[in-house]
Amino acid sequence: MIVGQRGWTAALLLAVWSAFALAADSGDAAPAARFEYFNRDIATFRVSLAGYGPSERAANARMRMQAILEQQGPGLVDIKTRDGARVIQLDGGTVFMLLPDDVDPLADENLDVIALAASRRLQEAVEASRESRSLAAWSWALGAVAAATAVGVVVVWLLGWARRRR
């Protein structure tokens, strides 16, 4: 009976040790983080870079993006290759880097495909952001609001007039 207890104790210790080992392995990999700008997903970071985890990489990309946009440049997005990584730049300033391990292992993609898609989404986000702040866009929106208000006033007046005619 004592040998049986030792067997169960050893099995229990092995199970606990295995659980801790699996937890430690899964804890090493930080969860993927998305870099978003102007309500658009730009890129997904899956691995650390220079000691920065995926969420820190996304936060840093947002800060660099804001700093570059404040300079009011032409808004040109470009892709450079550096040491096997793809560097996404805006107006010559680095916004973020995509690494080979940032590619989704379950998707049929490669680094060049995700870099090109990210640069296109970044370009679209920059253009949409600038358009939303342009004087022409604000003027058009203000005109649309004024027209809708005028139509609403006319409809209310017509309803009141029709009610009085009864």
Side-chain angles (χ1 to χ4, degrees):
M1 186 85 172
I2 294 176
V3 173
Q5 287 177 333
R6 287 184 188 166
W8 281 104
T9 304
L12 181 61
L13 287 174
L14 180 62
V16 169
W17 178 78
S18 297
F20 280 120
L22 286 174
D25 285 344
S26 65
D28 288 346
R34 291 182 302 178
F35 165 46
E36 300 171 347
Y37 181 73
F38 207 67
N39 294 324
R40 289 167 171 78
D41 289 338
I42 306 299
T44 301
F45 302 123
R46 291 183 170 77
V47 295
S48 295
L49 173 64
Y52 294 101
S55 60
E56 294 166 315
R57 289 176 62 197
N60 289 340
R62 275 185 220 98
M63 288 188 306
R64 284 191 295 273
M65 177 91 175
Q66 286 301 116
I68 293 170
L69 287 175
E70 287 174 3
Q71 297 174 4
Q72 300 294 321
L76 300 176
V77 177
D78 194 20
I79 303 172
K80 303 284 185 193
T81 300
R82 184 184 309 152
D83 298 328
R86 301 303 177 269
V87 180
I88 310 300
Q89 296 182 329
L90 175 62
D91 294 336
T94 297
V95 178
F96 61 92
M97 292 178 70
L98 289 170
L99 306 173
D101 289 338
D102 285 325
V103 176
D104 184 357
L106 301 178
D108 187 27
E109 299 174 332
N110 62 44
L111 187 57
D112 291 323
V113 170
I114 67 167
L116 183 61
S119 69
R120 286 182 180 160
R121 288 189 297 264
L122 183 63
Q123 186 72 57
E124 291 170 4
V126 167
E127 290 170 3
S129 169
R130 287 187 173 177
E131 182 179 318
S132 73
R133 291 188 293 264
S134 75
L135 182 58
W138 277 95
S139 299
W140 186 88
L142 186 59
V145 167
T149 302
V151 168
V153 167
V154 168
V155 167
V156 169
W157 182 81
L158 286 174
L159 288 172
W161 179 78
R163 186 172 180 187
R164 285 189 299 271
R165 295 277 299 159
R166 282 190 185 180

